[in-house]
Structure formats: structure tokens, C-alpha cells
Amino acid sequence: MPFSLSSLRRSSRRSAASAGTAAAATSVDAGGPSRAASPHIVSPAAAPRAGWLAVSLLTLMVGCSAASNGEATGSAGGPSGAAPNMGVKGCTALMQKQHGQLKSIQLKNGSPAAGTAVPGVPDLPRPTKAVPAADPVYGNCVLRVTEHAKEPPVRFARHDYSRRQAFNADGSRILIASNDGTWHLYDGRTMEYVDELDGPAGDAELQWHPTNPDLIYYMPSNGLGMELYELNVRTGSSRTVAEFGDRLKKFWPDAAAAWTKAEGAPSADGRYWCFMVDDAEWKSLGVFAWDMKEDRILGKMDTHGDRPDHVSMSPGGKRCVVSGDTEGVGTRAWTLDFKKSTQVHHKSEHSDMAFDAQGRDVYVSIDYQSDGGDVFMTDLETGKRTVLFKTYLDHSATAVHFSGRAFKKPGWVLVSTYAADGKRQWLHEKLMAVSLTPNPQVKELAFHHGAYNGYWTEPQATVNPDFTRVLFNSNWGSRSDMDIDNYMVVLPEDAVK
């Protein structure tokens, strides 16, 4: 390979932006942790895009309203309704007009057929906010969600992470973060700015309620205080859901923080959660599983100072996945009593969990130490590993993120690739839906147009529960690590099935 494989390894994430920005105020006391901004691969320097082509965005000028699933005003309050040629309504009409089908690639033995087209990224101007634009290669509708230069937040506006659900339960709201530690809501249908959240700050690990669109859970920044809160985004009222401190100090007297370390999520139904526990010096103490319905700790495990990269509950609520890089330990899926585990990877890399077509919990990740740079899935109960596709093609490589948040469409995962190195290949710099099967089907969705320049410029695409909306972050070719906005790909209801 043209670079060291060690440069491909993932590292933990950074919640504060670079020094000198207001985001520094969101970090914990000196010596505390932060999400890392280190890249996962080092892409060769590329000249900034200049002289954008005067390409029309295919804006839709129609005078009729388009029927669309979920067009009704969201229950979370704020602005609603948009011109029929704007927002998700406009995208729906555009897709009906084009009568297009998602382009698919059938993989065999981890690779597409010989001669598969490798289109270049089209040189397009940055989309106008909320105006539907057709991706000229794949035909899907792309919307610009945020415009941080003209509306709050004034610094970059991006969704949190690929492993986090950015859409509320009915799709009426999108959760957006700024590098000053504030959290914001946008209308999920019109793309209008709604409000800044009062309460969550910094790395507060926000999680939408799975069925109530008004409710969101959050923690103190970096888990300090060992509490879980619930915020009603319609009324602004909040309440304490759980206080873990006294209980955790019985197990670990020095316990000071309980969190997932920025990347975890509860079970798909929101009932079961997994947390890691640190002391005031950020030394790892243990991991525990918790049942929200009964407010009961189900099991715990001492880590003896071996700090996980992050922890997360499986979608089915049966396994606490503890992700780490310690040799001989790696990433393991534990039963909730921590008496039995399944080895799912020997490292801690970018990953997510999802339901396969049979509703089983699977772990999806990449193995940079394998000969092919394999993207794979592992059954959390049996440990069976299935290679989905290879990333080391013709001496090239790419960084990758996964989002398995489409729980209502089991059997699919969203993949976003970025910072490719070497000759362009079929999978580079784009968003794809990949079936969780041997020899999977790949549906190409859109290019993200990001020019890699550090952590914040990663697309980190995430998907809504029914795989009809995809969000990604992009600097749209500017190479700036601050000029970042959020974008949406709107897909047909039957995009994956």
C-alpha cells in the first residue's frame, strides 16, 4: 500500500474544535477527554476546487403540491410548511417527475463485476438552501439543510455522527451541532431553522426518543455527574430520568462520569442502555448495562483501567458492545450480565450495529489489517463473520463510516467513504446503501463533495429509521475545516427493500 496501515486506524472523537474557537469552552476541566480530530487515513493533498462549472441544479419549478409520506407539520413545534418546489415536498415532486430508479451494483466475492463504471465526482456549485437538486450521476434529490453563514449556528452546522440518529421519531426535526457546543433543531421537511436547545451543551450524547417526536435524552457533557435527562423540545421542559451516581459509587467509589464516550446509542426501542464509567482523572473503572423501563442496573464489569474506545447497546437490546484496541481484547459483545462475550473484531475501528434481514443484531466495520481491507459484518451472538466488500483495490484505500440506524428497514446499512488514496475506485467519495448479505447489493445514493481536511470534514453520513432520508456533512470542496454545512439525500419509499 502507498501508506502505513496504522494511519487507517480509528481514534476516539473530539467534542471541542481547534484551539482559539468558542468550542473550547465546552471541554471538561484540564486533563479531561475529548473526541479526537485525528484523521483515519491521510489523503494526498488536493488543490481546492476553483472555477466551479456553471451547472444548473435542476431546480424544480412546479406550482402544485406533491403528496408525500410525512408531509404533515411535525409535533415538535416551530415553523412548518414550504413552497411546493422547496424542501422534501420539492424533492418528492422531482423524483416523481424523473421516474428514476436507484442505481445498483451487485458484488461477488467482495468486488463488482469487471468493467463497472467509476464516475468522477461532478464539479457542482454548492446547492442553494432547501432547493431540490438532482445528483447528476445517481439522480437522487439532494437538499442543503443548513446555511451557517446566514442563520444559526454561526459556526459550522453538522449532524453529530454516523452512529447517532439525527431525525426525531416522525422526521419533523433534525438535530444539528455547532462547534461552540450548542445544539440546534431544523425542520426535517422544510429545512427551516427552528431553535437552539436549552439544556444540552458540549458532548451531551443526545438521543431521540424512538416513538415520541418531542422528547430527547441527554447527559451532562462527557457524562460528568452520572445523570440522564429528558428534554421536551416542544415545551422546553426537562426532567431527570436517572441518577446513577450513588449506585455506581457502591461498585466504584471513585466514579465521576458515566457515558458511552461519544459514540454509543441505546437499543432500538430505547429501553436498554450501556455505559462506561470513569473516575475524575478519566481512568476507566467499569461498564454497566441499564434497563430504563425498570431503572435497574442489569450487570456490570470491571475494566481494571483498560479504557474502552466507546461502548454501545445493540439494537435488539441483548448485547453491550465494548469497543477497544487492547491486544487480545479488541471489540466484544457482552451479554447484559457480563458473563459471556462474543469477539466481533480484534480492533476498534469505525463501525455501527444494525439489524440484518432476519432481525438479528450484527456489527458492521472494516478490517484494515486484512489483505483486502474488508468491510464485514459479524453476528453478535454467533460470532460468524461475513465479508461484504473489499476496499484495497488496485493499491488504493479509503476511510469509511457506517450507519445502521434504519431499524425499520432491517438488512441494510449506510456506508460513506472519504479521504480516498490512490486511483479512484467504484466506492470512493460517496454514500451507498449496502445489503447485509453475502455478495451484497449496493445502491449508490450520491457524492458528498467533501474535500478532506481533518475530522470535522468527514461526511459521517447517517440514515433515518426507514431509509428514506440520509444526512451528510460537507465543506463542498472548499477544503475548509469550518465552512461545513449539513445536506440531505431524499430517497423513494421503496429505495431499499
Short mmCIF file of all heavy atoms in Angstrom, two decimals, residues 194-255:
data_model
loop_
_atom_site.label_atom_id
_atom_site.label_comp_id
_atom_site.label_asym_id
_atom_site.label_seq_id
_atom_site.Cartn_x
_atom_site.Cartn_y
_atom_site.Cartn_z
N VAL A 194 -35.22 26.11 13.40
CA VAL A 194 -36.28 26.13 14.41
C VAL A 194 -35.83 26.82 15.68
O VAL A 194 -36.39 27.84 16.07
CB VAL A 194 -36.77 24.69 14.71
CG1 VAL A 194 -37.82 24.70 15.83
CG2 VAL A 194 -37.33 24.04 13.46
N ASP A 195 -34.79 26.29 16.35
CA ASP A 195 -34.44 26.85 17.65
C ASP A 195 -33.15 26.23 18.17
O ASP A 195 -32.72 25.17 17.70
CB ASP A 195 -35.55 26.58 18.66
CG ASP A 195 -35.56 27.55 19.84
OD1 ASP A 195 -34.71 28.47 19.85
OD2 ASP A 195 -36.40 27.40 20.74
N GLU A 196 -32.56 26.89 19.15
CA GLU A 196 -31.44 26.33 19.90
C GLU A 196 -31.98 25.62 21.14
O GLU A 196 -32.87 26.14 21.81
CB GLU A 196 -30.46 27.43 20.31
CG GLU A 196 -29.28 26.93 21.12
CD GLU A 196 -28.33 28.04 21.53
OE1 GLU A 196 -28.27 29.07 20.81
OE2 GLU A 196 -27.65 27.89 22.58
N LEU A 197 -31.46 24.44 21.42
CA LEU A 197 -31.91 23.69 22.59
C LEU A 197 -31.35 24.30 23.86
O LEU A 197 -30.19 24.71 23.93
CB LEU A 197 -31.48 22.23 22.49
CG LEU A 197 -32.11 21.41 21.36
CD1 LEU A 197 -31.65 19.96 21.44
CD2 LEU A 197 -33.64 21.47 21.44
N ASP A 198 -32.20 24.35 24.88
CA ASP A 198 -31.82 24.88 26.18
C ASP A 198 -31.60 23.70 27.13
O ASP A 198 -32.54 23.00 27.49
CB ASP A 198 -32.93 25.79 26.73
CG ASP A 198 -32.55 26.42 28.06
OD1 ASP A 198 -31.36 26.36 28.42
OD2 ASP A 198 -33.44 26.96 28.74
N GLY A 199 -30.34 23.47 27.49
CA GLY A 199 -30.02 22.37 28.39
C GLY A 199 -28.78 21.62 27.92
O GLY A 199 -27.72 21.72 28.55
N PRO A 200 -28.86 20.87 26.82
CA PRO A 200 -27.68 20.12 26.37
C PRO A 200 -26.56 21.06 25.95
O PRO A 200 -26.80 22.08 25.29
CB PRO A 200 -28.22 19.34 25.17
CG PRO A 200 -29.70 19.31 25.32
CD PRO A 200 -30.05 20.59 26.01
N ALA A 201 -25.34 20.70 26.31
CA ALA A 201 -24.18 21.51 25.94
C ALA A 201 -22.97 20.61 25.77
O ALA A 201 -22.78 19.66 26.53
CB ALA A 201 -23.89 22.57 27.01
N GLY A 202 -22.16 20.90 24.77
CA GLY A 202 -20.96 20.11 24.53
C GLY A 202 -21.31 18.69 24.14
O GLY A 202 -22.31 18.42 23.48
N ASP A 203 -20.49 17.76 24.59
CA ASP A 203 -20.69 16.35 24.22
C ASP A 203 -21.72 15.72 25.16
O ASP A 203 -21.40 14.98 26.08
CB ASP A 203 -19.36 15.61 24.31
CG ASP A 203 -19.36 14.36 23.45
OD1 ASP A 203 -20.44 13.95 23.01
OD2 ASP A 203 -18.27 13.81 23.22
N ALA A 204 -22.97 16.06 24.92
CA ALA A 204 -24.06 15.66 25.81
C ALA A 204 -24.74 14.37 25.40
O ALA A 204 -25.73 13.96 26.02
CB ALA A 204 -25.10 16.79 25.90
N GLU A 205 -24.27 13.71 24.33
CA GLU A 205 -24.76 12.39 23.92
C GLU A 205 -26.28 12.37 23.72
O GLU A 205 -27.01 11.56 24.29
CB GLU A 205 -24.34 11.33 24.93
CG GLU A 205 -22.85 11.31 25.17
CD GLU A 205 -22.29 9.93 25.46
OE1 GLU A 205 -23.08 8.98 25.60
OE2 GLU A 205 -21.07 9.81 25.51
N LEU A 206 -26.79 13.25 22.89
CA LEU A 206 -28.23 13.37 22.68
C LEU A 206 -28.77 12.16 21.91
O LEU A 206 -28.18 11.73 20.91
CB LEU A 206 -28.57 14.66 21.94
CG LEU A 206 -28.46 15.96 22.76
CD1 LEU A 206 -27.02 16.39 22.92
CD2 LEU A 206 -29.26 17.07 22.12
N GLN A 207 -29.92 11.66 22.36
CA GLN A 207 -30.57 10.52 21.73
C GLN A 207 -32.07 10.80 21.65
O GLN A 207 -32.72 11.04 22.67
CB GLN A 207 -30.38 9.24 22.57
CG GLN A 207 -28.96 8.96 23.01
CD GLN A 207 -28.11 8.30 21.93
OE1 GLN A 207 -28.60 7.99 20.85
NE2 GLN A 207 -26.84 8.07 22.23
N TRP A 208 -32.62 10.77 20.45
CA TRP A 208 -34.06 10.97 20.29
C TRP A 208 -34.84 9.80 20.89
O TRP A 208 -34.40 8.65 20.83
CB TRP A 208 -34.42 11.08 18.81
CG TRP A 208 -34.11 12.38 18.16
CD1 TRP A 208 -33.14 12.62 17.23
CD2 TRP A 208 -34.79 13.64 18.36
NE1 TRP A 208 -33.16 13.94 16.84
CE2 TRP A 208 -34.16 14.59 17.52
CE3 TRP A 208 -35.84 14.05 19.17
CZ2 TRP A 208 -34.56 15.92 17.45
CZ3 TRP A 208 -36.24 15.38 19.12
CH2 TRP A 208 -35.61 16.30 18.27
N HIS A 209 -36.00 10.09 21.44
CA HIS A 209 -36.94 9.06 21.87
C HIS A 209 -37.38 8.28 20.63
O HIS A 209 -37.63 8.88 19.58
CB HIS A 209 -38.14 9.71 22.56
CG HIS A 209 -39.06 8.75 23.25
ND1 HIS A 209 -39.93 7.93 22.56
CD2 HIS A 209 -39.25 8.48 24.57
CE1 HIS A 209 -40.62 7.20 23.41
NE2 HIS A 209 -40.23 7.51 24.65
N PRO A 210 -37.50 6.96 20.69
CA PRO A 210 -37.80 6.20 19.48
C PRO A 210 -39.21 6.37 18.92
O PRO A 210 -39.44 6.10 17.74
CB PRO A 210 -37.57 4.74 19.91
CG PRO A 210 -37.76 4.76 21.40
CD PRO A 210 -37.26 6.09 21.85
N THR A 211 -40.17 6.84 19.74
CA THR A 211 -41.55 6.97 19.26
C THR A 211 -42.16 8.34 19.49
O THR A 211 -43.07 8.74 18.76
CB THR A 211 -42.46 5.91 19.91
OG1 THR A 211 -42.43 6.06 21.33
CG2 THR A 211 -42.02 4.50 19.52
N ASN A 212 -41.71 9.08 20.49
CA ASN A 212 -42.27 10.39 20.78
C ASN A 212 -41.39 11.46 20.14
O ASN A 212 -40.25 11.67 20.57
CB ASN A 212 -42.35 10.61 22.29
CG ASN A 212 -43.11 11.88 22.66
OD1 ASN A 212 -43.07 12.88 21.93
ND2 ASN A 212 -43.79 11.87 23.79
N PRO A 213 -41.88 12.18 19.12
CA PRO A 213 -41.03 13.13 18.40
C PRO A 213 -40.64 14.36 19.21
O PRO A 213 -39.75 15.11 18.79
CB PRO A 213 -41.89 13.51 17.20
CG PRO A 213 -43.29 13.31 17.64
CD PRO A 213 -43.24 12.11 18.54
N ASP A 214 -41.29 14.58 20.35
CA ASP A 214 -41.00 15.76 21.17
C ASP A 214 -39.87 15.54 22.17
O ASP A 214 -39.36 16.50 22.75
CB ASP A 214 -42.24 16.19 21.94
CG ASP A 214 -43.35 16.69 21.04
OD1 ASP A 214 -43.04 17.10 19.91
OD2 ASP A 214 -44.52 16.67 21.46
N LEU A 215 -39.48 14.30 22.41
CA LEU A 215 -38.57 14.00 23.51
C LEU A 215 -37.18 13.63 23.03
O LEU A 215 -37.01 12.91 22.04
CB LEU A 215 -39.13 12.86 24.37
CG LEU A 215 -40.50 13.10 25.01
CD1 LEU A 215 -40.89 11.91 25.86
CD2 LEU A 215 -40.51 14.38 25.84
N ILE A 216 -36.20 14.12 23.78
CA ILE A 216 -34.81 13.78 23.50
C ILE A 216 -34.09 13.58 24.84
O ILE A 216 -34.36 14.27 25.82
CB ILE A 216 -34.13 14.88 22.66
CG1 ILE A 216 -32.85 14.37 22.03
CG2 ILE A 216 -33.89 16.15 23.46
CD1 ILE A 216 -32.34 15.26 20.92
N TYR A 217 -33.23 12.57 24.89
CA TYR A 217 -32.46 12.31 26.09
C TYR A 217 -31.06 12.91 25.95
O TYR A 217 -30.51 12.98 24.85
CB TYR A 217 -32.33 10.80 26.34
CG TYR A 217 -33.66 10.11 26.51
CD1 TYR A 217 -34.17 9.26 25.52
CD2 TYR A 217 -34.41 10.29 27.67
CE1 TYR A 217 -35.39 8.63 25.68
CE2 TYR A 217 -35.63 9.66 27.84
CZ TYR A 217 -36.12 8.82 26.83
OH TYR A 217 -37.33 8.22 27.00
N TYR A 218 -30.50 13.32 27.08
CA TYR A 218 -29.13 13.82 27.04
C TYR A 218 -28.48 13.66 28.40
O TYR A 218 -29.15 13.39 29.41
CB TYR A 218 -29.08 15.29 26.58
CG TYR A 218 -29.64 16.30 27.55
CD1 TYR A 218 -28.78 17.04 28.38
CD2 TYR A 218 -31.00 16.55 27.64
CE1 TYR A 218 -29.28 17.99 29.27
CE2 TYR A 218 -31.51 17.50 28.52
CZ TYR A 218 -30.65 18.21 29.33
OH TYR A 218 -31.15 19.14 30.21
N MET A 219 -27.16 13.83 28.43
CA MET A 219 -26.38 13.68 29.64
C MET A 219 -25.57 14.95 29.88
O MET A 219 -25.43 15.78 28.96
CB MET A 219 -25.44 12.47 29.52
CG MET A 219 -26.14 11.20 29.11
SD MET A 219 -25.09 9.74 29.22
CE MET A 219 -25.17 9.42 30.99
N PRO A 220 -25.00 15.11 31.07
CA PRO A 220 -24.03 16.20 31.24
C PRO A 220 -22.87 15.98 30.28
O PRO A 220 -22.57 14.84 29.91
CB PRO A 220 -23.59 16.05 32.70
CG PRO A 220 -24.63 15.20 33.36
CD PRO A 220 -25.16 14.30 32.29
N SER A 221 -22.20 17.04 29.87
CA SER A 221 -21.10 16.90 28.93
C SER A 221 -20.07 15.91 29.46
O SER A 221 -19.65 15.98 30.61
CB SER A 221 -20.44 18.26 28.69
OG SER A 221 -19.44 18.16 27.69
N ASN A 222 -19.68 14.96 28.59
CA ASN A 222 -18.73 13.90 28.92
C ASN A 222 -19.20 13.02 30.08
O ASN A 222 -18.38 12.32 30.69
CB ASN A 222 -17.35 14.48 29.24
CG ASN A 222 -16.77 15.27 28.08
OD1 ASN A 222 -16.64 16.49 28.17
ND2 ASN A 222 -16.45 14.61 26.99
N GLY A 223 -20.48 13.03 30.38
CA GLY A 223 -21.02 12.15 31.41
C GLY A 223 -20.72 12.55 32.83
O GLY A 223 -21.03 11.80 33.77
N LEU A 224 -20.12 13.72 33.03
CA LEU A 224 -19.81 14.17 34.39
C LEU A 224 -21.10 14.40 35.17
O LEU A 224 -21.98 15.13 34.72
CB LEU A 224 -18.97 15.45 34.35
CG LEU A 224 -17.53 15.28 33.88
CD1 LEU A 224 -16.90 16.63 33.60
CD2 LEU A 224 -16.72 14.53 34.95
N GLY A 225 -21.20 13.81 36.34
CA GLY A 225 -22.41 13.92 37.13
C GLY A 225 -23.24 12.67 37.13
O GLY A 225 -24.10 12.47 37.99
N MET A 226 -23.03 11.80 36.10
CA MET A 226 -23.65 10.47 36.07
C MET A 226 -25.17 10.52 36.15
O MET A 226 -25.80 9.83 36.94
CB MET A 226 -23.07 9.59 37.19
CG MET A 226 -21.57 9.38 37.06
SD MET A 226 -20.84 8.41 38.40
CE MET A 226 -20.89 9.60 39.76
N GLU A 227 -25.76 11.38 35.31
CA GLU A 227 -27.21 11.50 35.25
C GLU A 227 -27.68 11.43 33.81
O GLU A 227 -26.91 11.68 32.88
CB GLU A 227 -27.67 12.82 35.88
CG GLU A 227 -27.40 12.93 37.36
CD GLU A 227 -27.84 14.27 37.93
OE1 GLU A 227 -27.57 15.30 37.29
OE2 GLU A 227 -28.47 14.29 39.00
N LEU A 228 -28.95 11.11 33.63
CA LEU A 228 -29.59 11.11 32.32
C LEU A 228 -30.84 11.97 32.40
O LEU A 228 -31.65 11.82 33.33
CB LEU A 228 -29.96 9.68 31.89
CG LEU A 228 -30.65 9.53 30.53
CD1 LEU A 228 -29.68 9.89 29.40
CD2 LEU A 228 -31.17 8.10 30.34
N TYR A 229 -30.99 12.89 31.42
CA TYR A 229 -32.12 13.81 31.41
C TYR A 229 -33.00 13.58 30.19
O TYR A 229 -32.57 13.01 29.19
CB TYR A 229 -31.62 15.26 31.39
CG TYR A 229 -30.61 15.61 32.44
CD1 TYR A 229 -29.30 15.93 32.08
CD2 TYR A 229 -30.96 15.64 33.79
CE1 TYR A 229 -28.36 16.25 33.04
CE2 TYR A 229 -30.02 15.96 34.76
CZ TYR A 229 -28.72 16.27 34.38
OH TYR A 229 -27.79 16.59 35.33
N GLU A 230 -34.22 14.09 30.30
CA GLU A 230 -35.16 14.08 29.18
C GLU A 230 -35.62 15.51 28.94
O GLU A 230 -36.05 16.20 29.87
CB GLU A 230 -36.36 13.18 29.49
CG GLU A 230 -37.41 13.15 28.40
CD GLU A 230 -38.67 12.41 28.87
OE1 GLU A 230 -39.55 13.06 29.47
OE2 GLU A 230 -38.73 11.19 28.68
N LEU A 231 -35.54 15.95 27.69
CA LEU A 231 -35.97 17.30 27.32
C LEU A 231 -37.14 17.22 26.36
O LEU A 231 -37.08 16.46 25.39
CB LEU A 231 -34.81 18.05 26.66
CG LEU A 231 -35.13 19.41 26.02
CD1 LEU A 231 -35.49 20.43 27.09
CD2 LEU A 231 -33.94 19.90 25.20
N ASN A 232 -38.20 17.98 26.63
CA ASN A 232 -39.30 18.11 25.70
C ASN A 232 -38.99 19.31 24.80
O ASN A 232 -38.99 20.45 25.26
CB ASN A 232 -40.62 18.32 26.44
CG ASN A 232 -41.83 18.30 25.52
OD1 ASN A 232 -41.86 18.99 24.50
ND2 ASN A 232 -42.83 17.52 25.88
N VAL A 233 -38.69 19.05 23.54
CA VAL A 233 -38.25 20.13 22.66
C VAL A 233 -39.41 21.04 22.24
O VAL A 233 -39.18 22.13 21.71
CB VAL A 233 -37.54 19.57 21.40
CG1 VAL A 233 -36.31 18.78 21.80
CG2 VAL A 233 -38.47 18.70 20.55
N ARG A 234 -40.63 20.60 22.46
CA ARG A 234 -41.77 21.46 22.17
C ARG A 234 -42.00 22.48 23.29
O ARG A 234 -42.18 23.67 23.04
CB ARG A 234 -43.04 20.62 21.98
CG ARG A 234 -44.32 21.45 21.90
CD ARG A 234 -45.56 20.57 21.84
NE ARG A 234 -45.79 20.09 20.49
CZ ARG A 234 -46.46 20.76 19.56
NH1 ARG A 234 -46.93 21.96 19.82
NH2 ARG A 234 -46.66 20.26 18.37
N THR A 235 -41.99 22.01 24.53
CA THR A 235 -42.30 22.88 25.67
C THR A 235 -41.06 23.47 26.33
O THR A 235 -41.16 24.45 27.06
CB THR A 235 -43.09 22.09 26.73
OG1 THR A 235 -42.24 21.07 27.28
CG2 THR A 235 -44.32 21.45 26.13
N GLY A 236 -39.90 22.85 26.11
CA GLY A 236 -38.69 23.30 26.78
C GLY A 236 -38.51 22.75 28.18
O GLY A 236 -37.50 23.04 28.84
N SER A 237 -39.46 21.97 28.65
CA SER A 237 -39.36 21.41 30.00
C SER A 237 -38.41 20.21 30.00
O SER A 237 -38.27 19.51 28.99
CB SER A 237 -40.73 20.99 30.52
OG SER A 237 -41.29 19.97 29.69
N SER A 238 -37.78 19.97 31.14
CA SER A 238 -36.87 18.84 31.25
C SER A 238 -37.07 18.15 32.59
O SER A 238 -37.62 18.73 33.54
CB SER A 238 -35.42 19.30 31.10
OG SER A 238 -35.07 20.20 32.14
N ARG A 239 -36.62 16.93 32.66
CA ARG A 239 -36.69 16.18 33.91
C ARG A 239 -35.52 15.21 33.98
O ARG A 239 -34.91 14.86 32.95
CB ARG A 239 -38.01 15.39 34.01
CG ARG A 239 -38.13 14.21 33.04
CD ARG A 239 -39.45 13.49 33.17
NE ARG A 239 -39.53 12.32 32.30
CZ ARG A 239 -39.24 11.08 32.68
NH1 ARG A 239 -38.83 10.85 33.93
NH2 ARG A 239 -39.34 10.08 31.83
N THR A 240 -35.20 14.79 35.19
CA THR A 240 -34.15 13.81 35.39
C THR A 240 -34.74 12.42 35.26
O THR A 240 -35.71 12.08 35.96
CB THR A 240 -33.50 13.97 36.77
OG1 THR A 240 -32.95 15.29 36.87
CG2 THR A 240 -32.40 12.95 36.97
N VAL A 241 -34.19 11.62 34.36
CA VAL A 241 -34.68 10.26 34.13
C VAL A 241 -33.97 9.28 35.07
O VAL A 241 -34.60 8.36 35.59
CB VAL A 241 -34.44 9.84 32.67
CG1 VAL A 241 -34.84 8.39 32.43
CG2 VAL A 241 -35.21 10.76 31.73
N ALA A 242 -32.68 9.47 35.26
CA ALA A 242 -31.93 8.54 36.10
C ALA A 242 -30.76 9.26 36.76
O ALA A 242 -30.13 10.14 36.16
CB ALA A 242 -31.41 7.37 35.28
N GLU A 243 -30.50 8.88 38.01
CA GLU A 243 -29.33 9.33 38.74
C GLU A 243 -28.52 8.08 39.08
O GLU A 243 -28.93 7.26 39.89
CB GLU A 243 -29.73 10.08 40.00
CG GLU A 243 -30.48 11.39 39.72
CD GLU A 243 -30.89 12.11 40.98
OE1 GLU A 243 -30.88 11.47 42.05
OE2 GLU A 243 -31.23 13.30 40.90
N PHE A 244 -27.37 7.97 38.44
CA PHE A 244 -26.56 6.76 38.60
C PHE A 244 -25.51 6.88 39.71
O PHE A 244 -24.94 5.87 40.14
CB PHE A 244 -25.83 6.45 37.29
CG PHE A 244 -26.73 6.19 36.12
CD1 PHE A 244 -26.69 7.01 35.01
CD2 PHE A 244 -27.62 5.13 36.13
CE1 PHE A 244 -27.50 6.77 33.91
CE2 PHE A 244 -28.45 4.88 35.04
CZ PHE A 244 -28.39 5.71 33.93
N GLY A 245 -25.22 8.10 40.15
CA GLY A 245 -24.07 8.33 41.00
C GLY A 245 -23.98 7.45 42.22
O GLY A 245 -22.96 6.76 42.44
N ASP A 246 -25.00 7.45 43.08
CA ASP A 246 -24.94 6.68 44.33
C ASP A 246 -24.79 5.19 44.05
O ASP A 246 -24.04 4.49 44.73
CB ASP A 246 -26.18 6.94 45.17
CG ASP A 246 -26.21 8.34 45.75
OD1 ASP A 246 -25.15 8.99 45.78
OD2 ASP A 246 -27.30 8.80 46.16
N ARG A 247 -25.51 4.71 43.03
CA ARG A 247 -25.43 3.29 42.71
C ARG A 247 -24.04 2.91 42.20
O ARG A 247 -23.48 1.87 42.57
CB ARG A 247 -26.50 2.92 41.67
CG ARG A 247 -27.91 2.84 42.24
CD ARG A 247 -28.94 2.55 41.17
NE ARG A 247 -29.29 3.73 40.39
CZ ARG A 247 -30.21 3.74 39.43
NH1 ARG A 247 -30.83 2.61 39.09
NH2 ARG A 247 -30.51 4.86 38.79
N LEU A 248 -23.49 3.76 41.34
CA LEU A 248 -22.19 3.43 40.77
C LEU A 248 -21.06 3.53 41.79
O LEU A 248 -20.09 2.76 41.74
CB LEU A 248 -21.91 4.34 39.57
CG LEU A 248 -22.85 4.18 38.38
CD1 LEU A 248 -22.45 5.12 37.25
CD2 LEU A 248 -22.89 2.74 37.89
N LYS A 249 -21.19 4.45 42.74
CA LYS A 249 -20.15 4.59 43.76
C LYS A 249 -20.10 3.38 44.71
O LYS A 249 -19.08 3.14 45.36
CB LYS A 249 -20.36 5.89 44.54
CG LYS A 249 -19.98 7.13 43.75
CD LYS A 249 -20.20 8.40 44.54
CE LYS A 249 -19.81 9.63 43.74
NZ LYS A 249 -18.34 9.67 43.50
N LYS A 250 -21.19 2.62 44.77
CA LYS A 250 -21.16 1.38 45.54
C LYS A 250 -20.26 0.34 44.88
O LYS A 250 -19.65 -0.49 45.55
CB LYS A 250 -22.57 0.84 45.70
CG LYS A 250 -23.46 1.68 46.60
CD LYS A 250 -24.86 1.08 46.71
CE LYS A 250 -25.77 1.94 47.58
NZ LYS A 250 -27.14 1.38 47.66
N PHE A 251 -20.19 0.39 43.53
CA PHE A 251 -19.32 -0.53 42.80
C PHE A 251 -17.92 0.04 42.68
O PHE A 251 -16.92 -0.67 42.83
CB PHE A 251 -19.87 -0.78 41.39
CG PHE A 251 -21.30 -1.24 41.32
CD1 PHE A 251 -22.16 -0.74 40.35
CD2 PHE A 251 -21.79 -2.16 42.22
CE1 PHE A 251 -23.47 -1.17 40.27
CE2 PHE A 251 -23.10 -2.60 42.15
CZ PHE A 251 -23.96 -2.09 41.17
N TRP A 252 -17.86 1.35 42.34
CA TRP A 252 -16.59 2.03 42.10
C TRP A 252 -16.61 3.35 42.87
O TRP A 252 -17.13 4.36 42.37
CB TRP A 252 -16.40 2.28 40.61
CG TRP A 252 -16.51 1.03 39.76
CD1 TRP A 252 -15.62 0.00 39.71
CD2 TRP A 252 -17.58 0.68 38.86
NE1 TRP A 252 -16.04 -0.97 38.83
CE2 TRP A 252 -17.25 -0.58 38.29
CE3 TRP A 252 -18.76 1.31 38.47
CZ2 TRP A 252 -18.06 -1.21 37.37
CZ3 TRP A 252 -19.59 0.68 37.55
CH2 TRP A 252 -19.24 -0.57 37.01
N PRO A 253 -16.07 3.40 44.06
CA PRO A 253 -16.17 4.60 44.91
C PRO A 253 -15.65 5.88 44.26
O PRO A 253 -16.09 6.98 44.62
CB PRO A 253 -15.31 4.22 46.13
CG PRO A 253 -15.38 2.73 46.19
CD PRO A 253 -15.41 2.28 44.76
N ASP A 254 -14.74 5.76 43.29
CA ASP A 254 -14.18 6.95 42.65
C ASP A 254 -14.93 7.34 41.37
O ASP A 254 -14.47 8.22 40.62
CB ASP A 254 -12.71 6.71 42.31
CG ASP A 254 -11.84 6.55 43.55
OD1 ASP A 254 -12.19 7.15 44.59
OD2 ASP A 254 -10.83 5.83 43.48
N ALA A 255 -16.07 6.74 41.11
CA ALA A 255 -16.81 7.02 39.88
C ALA A 255 -17.18 8.50 39.78
O ALA A 255 -17.65 9.10 40.75
CB ALA A 255 -18.07 6.17 39.82
#
